Amino acid sequence: MKARHLITYVILILLTASIVYPALWIVMSSLKVGNSLYSETLIPKAFTFDHYRELFTSTRYQYAQWYMNTIKVAVLSAILGTLMTLLGSYAMARFRFIGRKFGLMGMLVLNMFPSFMSLVAIYILMLQFELLNSHWALILVYSSGAFISNVFVAKGFYDTIPRSLEEAARIDGATHWKVFTTVMIPLSKPMLTYVSLVIFNGAWVDFIFARLILRTADKETLAVGLYDIVNQQTSTDFTFFAAGAVLLAVPVLILFVWLQRFLVEGLTSGASKG
């Protein structure tokens, strides 16, 4: 084996271990008896599923409500954000209109700044529209932000589709809407899968904007609720927190494994052209 291959394998093994070990440690901690995360060994001496049962039966925390809130926000954000990206990127890729270049340039500049720079503006805007402590405020923030973040990936994907396909459909009498719905959307499945997964994952794990907008425990999402569990001065529910964190990762893990093929195709297709 060549030296460079050996070094590559060593680096890959170290990277894999640095990713897998913390995740495995959280899973093992969620199965431990008691509340402490400290253990002399990675694998606990005794296993219990009591922490998982308590997540949905305990009256101290509203974990089930947080889970439903997160699903609602993430799913609606993914649907609305994907629809906005689909329509906006197609228009940017296929039509020429006044303000197109300025709009693309503006979105490119906005992508260079971190999203939390807009915290104050978003807070004042939501306060004026009386949307504070509302899930719809979060959905609007996530979906509109996702459009700006993903429009260049989606536009690049449409740029790779030959215009001859649309021209052939129009020769057969198809309208712009018919071409869009019967030709372009079916071809866009990999890109749409990638965009919807990215939006869903971002909304599922976001803490900053959820903390800014949501004000009561019954409206909180999982990221905020789990933070509150361990942020209390007298809290000792660390294994309870670990069980909640494991369940938090399950939907995202399933989606990424299930849609892995479309995810890779969408990412690479959109990146081939700017």
Side-chain angles (χ1 to χ4, degrees):
M1 182 182 294
K2 294 181 179 179
R4 64 175 183 176
H5 289 165
L6 180 61
I7 294 173
T8 302
Y9 283 125
V10 170
I11 293 174
L12 288 176
I13 291 172
L14 291 175
L15 288 175
T16 303
S18 66
I19 295 171
V20 172
Y21 181 79
L24 186 61
W25 185 73
I26 285 293
V27 172
M28 291 294 109
S29 298
S30 70
L31 298 172
K32 284 175 53 182
V33 178
N35 296 323
S36 174
L37 289 179
Y38 174 76
S39 176
E40 295 179 351
T41 59
L42 175 63
I43 300 176
K45 297 177 182 177
F47 290 91
T48 179
F49 288 95
D50 287 348
H51 306 307
Y52 289 94
R53 180 177 53 79
E54 290 176 11
L55 286 173
F56 298 97
T57 58
S58 173
T59 56
R60 293 178 299 158
Y61 305 110
Q62 304 180 44
Y63 188 83
Q65 184 64 49
W66 298 340
Y67 217 97
M68 294 306 297
N69 292 342
T70 309
I71 290 175
K72 172 187 171 185
V73 170
V75 170
L76 292 179
S77 298
I79 293 173
L80 185 59
T82 304
L83 182 63
M84 292 170 64
T85 305
L86 170 68
L87 297 176
S89 58
Y90 180 71
M92 292 289 184
R94 285 298 193 257
F95 300 102
R96 299 294 181 267
F97 49 88
I98 298 174
R100 173 179 172 275
K101 288 186 178 180
F102 179 78
L104 287 173
M105 184 63 69
M107 287 186 282
L108 182 63
V109 173
L110 287 174
N111 273 320
M112 297 178 183
F113 297 96
S115 59
F116 57 81
M117 284 184 64
S118 60
L119 281 178
V120 176
I122 288 175
Y123 177 83
I124 294 175
L125 195 62
M126 295 304 162
L127 181 64
Q128 295 294 324
F129 283 103
E130 299 183 351
L131 283 174
L132 282 181
N133 201 32
S134 165
H135 291 151
W136 280 108
L138 271 184
I139 293 167
L140 290 174
V141 170
Y142 293 148
S143 55
S144 57
F147 169 68
I148 295 174
S149 303
N150 295 300
V151 65
F152 286 99
V153 175
K155 178 183 174 299
F157 178 84
Y158 285 123
D159 287 340
T160 63
I161 299 177
R163 289 179 180 271
S164 57
L165 290 176
E166 298 165 78
E167 292 167 357
R170 290 201 183 95
I171 290 174
D172 291 337
T175 61
H176 282 298
W177 179 251
K178 189 74 173 178
V179 171
F180 179 66
T181 54
T182 59
V183 178
M184 301 306 289
I185 290 182
L187 292 174
S188 306
K189 283 182 181 177
M191 183 272 294
L192 294 177
T193 304
Y194 163 74
V195 171
S196 58
L197 268 178
V198 169
I199 300 172
F200 181 90
N201 188 49
W204 186 262
V205 300
D206 176 67
F207 173 80
I208 296 176
F209 288 105
R211 189 61 168 173
L212 175 75
I213 293 173
L214 304 177
R215 300 292 163 154
T216 57
D218 63 313
K219 294 285 187 180
E220 287 180 348
T221 56
L222 280 172
V224 179
L226 288 174
Y227 171 78
D228 286 341
I229 289 177
V230 294
N231 190 45
Q232 300 172 20
Q233 289 186 349
T234 57
S235 175
T236 57
D237 297 321
F238 298 113
T239 47
F240 184 87
F241 168 83
V246 171
L247 290 187
L248 171 68
V250 170
V252 177
L253 179 65
I254 293 174
L255 283 176
F256 270 79
V257 171
W258 180 33
L259 301 172
Q260 180 177 235
R261 181 172 62 88
F262 290 109
L263 178 65
V264 175
E265 288 180 8
L267 183 61
T268 54
S269 298
S272 61
K273 268 191 174 183

